[in-house]
Amino acid sequence: MVKLAQHLLHKLSHPLFLRAYYLKYLLSELRKDEYCRRKLGILPFARLDLAAVKRSDILFILASGSSINQISPARWDVIARHDSIGFNFWPIHPFVPSMYFMEAISDSDAHDMFVAYSRIAYQRAKDYAKVPKVVTELRRALPEMCFAGLEEFSGPWYTLHSFPVAASTEAEFAYGLRYLRSKGLFDPADRINVVFKQASTLSSLIALAIRMQYRTIVLCGVDLNHSEYFYQDRTLYPETASLEFSPRSRPHAINSPMPWRIPVESVILEMKRQLLDPAGIQIYVENRSSALWPRISEVPELLQDADCESTSESCIGEHESP
């Protein structure tokens, strides 16, 4: 009966349905997240002073697409001069980011992934000791009250509540994004406890970058047109090359439309239109192999210069094409 009522409400009015959905989401999903946070001793993300964490106006978001292996050592030197966030299986890569995010992986729901990730976390624990680590979707730690990496990575761990948009079409998503914006979910802040998240961690990191007032965002390894990851290269990563959680030749799962989930590239492009462009925030892909190119431009040559200043305005303002 509840699902039928939700279906009828959605058919009648998506705005009303969306508000009812958020009430249920607050009372159910976020309540579970908060219960797990308290039980596991995870700190609220709002305890992290982002003004102290941020040291650049340029943020590199490090995903796990195979194009990561095309980035040269000189380019990694440039990336190291600015802020960066790696997420999920990023610790396989030798580059240590400024911050690290992951979705909770439970042993009961994804045993093979849990075991693989726990092993990787154990191997990289020392390297990540001083990196702020953030886990989302904590409710997935139920019922064992454990997620992969919790014991292997030393603390402190932080968690961040996230809000999606319940939408079955791109038009509904566009409305939902405007609604969340009107509620202040993208307002600048030095202390943040809630962030927008749709389909993947990638969208939440772009939303976080908006709230932290970065002026330039560069998406690295955001390929989306296949499911091949950088750590599956047998020459570069022989120990992890066999890891395969979805067929490599297929489009990335989060970029394939499903009921009540629009492709993540549509999510990013709508965020660009509604949030990034009006705020003057530049977003680029690291290379043209991304499914987002050319709708999102390749990073300009200037941002590949090791002498680039720490602020994006000084780096880009004088060099962009008219």
Side-chain angles (χ1 to χ4, degrees):
M1 288 298 293
V2 173
K3 289 186 178 180
L4 177 60
Q6 290 175 336
H7 175 74
L8 293 175
L9 182 58
H10 174 250
K11 289 296 184 183
L12 178 65
S13 170
H14 177 254
L16 288 176
F17 168 80
L18 189 64
R19 286 158 176 79
Y21 169 83
Y22 284 134
L23 178 60
K24 179 178 182 294
Y25 189 79
L26 278 167
L27 296 176
S28 177
E29 305 306 301
L30 293 192
R31 196 172 183 178
K32 292 176 186 176
D33 282 347
E34 181 61 15
Y35 172 78
C36 291
R37 184 194 73 77
R38 293 177 181 276
K39 286 290 186 179
L40 292 171
I42 308 295
L43 297 175
F45 190 72
R47 293 275 296 275
L48 187 61
D49 184 0
L50 297 178
V53 172
K54 184 181 176 188
R55 60 188 178 92
S56 171
D57 280 344
I58 301 173
L59 176 68
F60 289 85
I61 295 178
L62 308 175
S64 297
S66 60
S67 66
I68 285 292
N69 293 332
Q70 300 173 23
I71 301 176
S72 68
R75 182 66 174 146
W76 283 115
D77 288 342
V78 175
I79 295 173
R81 292 173 179 263
H82 303 284
D83 291 353
S84 57
I85 302 180
F87 62 99
N88 294 340
F89 275 77
W90 182 260
I92 295 173
H93 197 280
F95 182 86
V96 179
S98 307
M99 285 198 289
Y100 171 69
F101 278 64
M102 69 169 292
E103 293 181 347
I105 303 169
S106 72
D107 193 12
S108 58
D109 287 341
H111 176 73
D112 290 345
M113 191 180 292
F114 181 94
V115 172
Y117 183 90
S118 297
R119 182 180 71 250
I120 293 159
Y122 176 79
Q123 294 170 346
R124 299 306 305 278
K126 184 176 181 180
D127 297 325
Y128 278 70
K130 295 183 179 180
V131 176
K133 292 172 283 291
V134 184
V135 57
T136 61
E137 318 297 332
L138 259 182
R139 55 190 175 276
R140 296 181 183 174
L142 294 168
E144 297 95 338
M145 278 300 171
C146 182
F147 59 87
L150 174 62
E151 297 180 357
E152 291 80 8
F153 275 139
S154 59
W157 278 94
Y158 298 88
T159 192
L160 185 62
H161 294 313
S162 60
F163 268 85
V165 170
S168 60
T169 67
E170 293 188 9
E172 290 179 353
F173 173 73
Y175 170 83
L177 201 62
R178 290 193 298 272
Y179 175 76
L180 291 180
R181 183 180 62 185
S182 72
K183 297 299 181 181
L185 205 64
F186 299 97
D187 290 350
D190 289 336
R191 305 277 182 171
I192 299 170
N193 200 37
V194 180
V195 73
F196 165 75
K197 180 182 179 182
Q198 191 83 8
S200 78
T201 301
L202 174 62
S203 61
S204 68
L205 298 183
I206 295 174
L208 181 65
I210 294 169
R211 302 203 69 183
M212 291 179 67
Q213 302 182 73
Y214 283 100
R215 305 308 305 161
T216 302
I217 302 167
V218 183
L219 306 178
C220 303
V222 180
D223 299 341
L224 299 179
N225 41 25
H226 57 77
S227 297
E228 185 174 352
Y229 298 105
F230 75 84
Y231 53 79
Q232 293 174 325
D233 185 304
R234 293 194 177 278
T235 301
L236 297 176
Y237 300 94
E239 293 185 2
T240 59
S242 62
L243 292 179
E244 186 165 339
F245 305 114
S246 61
R248 304 184 189 191
S249 60
R250 293 183 183 176
H252 200 289
I254 61 172
N255 207 36
S256 300
M258 293 179 61
W260 292 100
R261 192 184 74 185
I262 65 174
V264 72
E265 64 179 284
S266 298
V267 171
I268 295 170
L269 291 171
E270 186 63 25
M271 292 179 74
K272 181 179 186 298
R273 187 183 71 83
Q274 282 199 39
L275 305 168
L276 299 171
D277 290 348
I281 301 172
Q282 303 291 332
I283 186 168
Y284 301 104
V285 292
E286 177 66 20
N287 57 56
R288 297 184 180 189
S289 63
S290 173
L292 294 168
W293 183 85
R295 290 165 297 175
I296 293 181
S297 300
E298 183 182 22
V299 65
E301 184 177 350
L302 178 67
L303 276 176
Q304 299 183 24
D305 185 352
D307 294 326
C308 180
E309 297 289 339
S310 62
T311 59
S312 61
E313 290 179 348
S314 61
C315 291
I316 297 176
E318 300 176 1
H319 294 77
E320 284 202 312
S321 301

